[in-house]
Amino acid sequence: VNRPILSGDLPITGWSHAAGSVFVADLSSGPNAGRFPLGVNQLFRNDTRLPCGRWPNIADGYAFVDSAPAGNRVTDADLPAAEWDGAMLRIKTQRWLLVNREVIGSSGATLSLNDTLSCRGGTCAGWGYFLQNHRAALDVDGEWSYDAASNRVYLVSESGPPVDVTGSVVLDDDPIHHGAVMIRADAEHDVIDNLAISKWWANGIGAQGSMGGDAYHH
């Protein structure tokens, strides 16, 4: 069945060599201009979603905090030497909870964060974490990162300049009430069928207002 496709991505072109196997595309210039005013949060190559760059690599699991000298600082002697400013730190503060903090400063083995952490047991020492969305984490073919300050996206492409790469267009800084298909606030007995919905930056199907009470049913 040839279903109508509601796709949330656009092509990314104009790739240039950055370093090694890493290529960069300026989302504010050339054919990309105007397509990604708020950046991207997903990349695809030949319709396959690509992984955001990660240190340590996913096959290596988590890194572990050695100490937390302050509520908004963590140290790890195994941290690779790099300027990690702008990276996203994802850390377990309980066995079932993973929280995000932006790295706003780095010095040797110490990372300074944009907000404090509260880890179970009173200290974040020993808890697992990883870093994403930073060029220093790019070392596997297909990994990518996005630099919001320059509106540039970086991608590891071992076969040469990337081709057939698309990105999800971010439409708003609040994804909750956005989707390819939006359900009205008083929806009841609605059927959404025979659509192919893919590559949206937030929700494929979204709903306005609250999900509580009888706002929606059936």
Side-chain angles (χ1 to χ4, degrees), residues 55-78:
W55 179 86
N57 290 322
I58 192 167
D60 299 323
Y62 286 82
F64 294 93
V65 174
D66 288 334
S67 66
N72 67 335
R73 285 186 291 157
V74 294
T75 67
D76 178 6
D78 294 327

Side-chain angles (χ1 to χ4, degrees), residues 37-39 41 169-178 201-202:
L38 297 177
N41 67 352
V169 180
V170 178
L171 300 178
D172 196 285
D173 58 4
D174 176 10
I176 295 177
H177 299 131
H178 290 267
W201 65 287

Side-chain angles (χ1 to χ4, degrees), residues 94-116:
Q94 300 195 51
R95 289 178 60 85
W96 46 265
L97 183 62
L98 191 71
V99 302
N100 301 329
R101 294 291 186 268
E102 182 182 353
V103 177
I104 59 174
S106 59
S107 177
T110 301
L111 299 175
S112 297
L113 312 175
N114 68 325
D115 201 353
T116 58

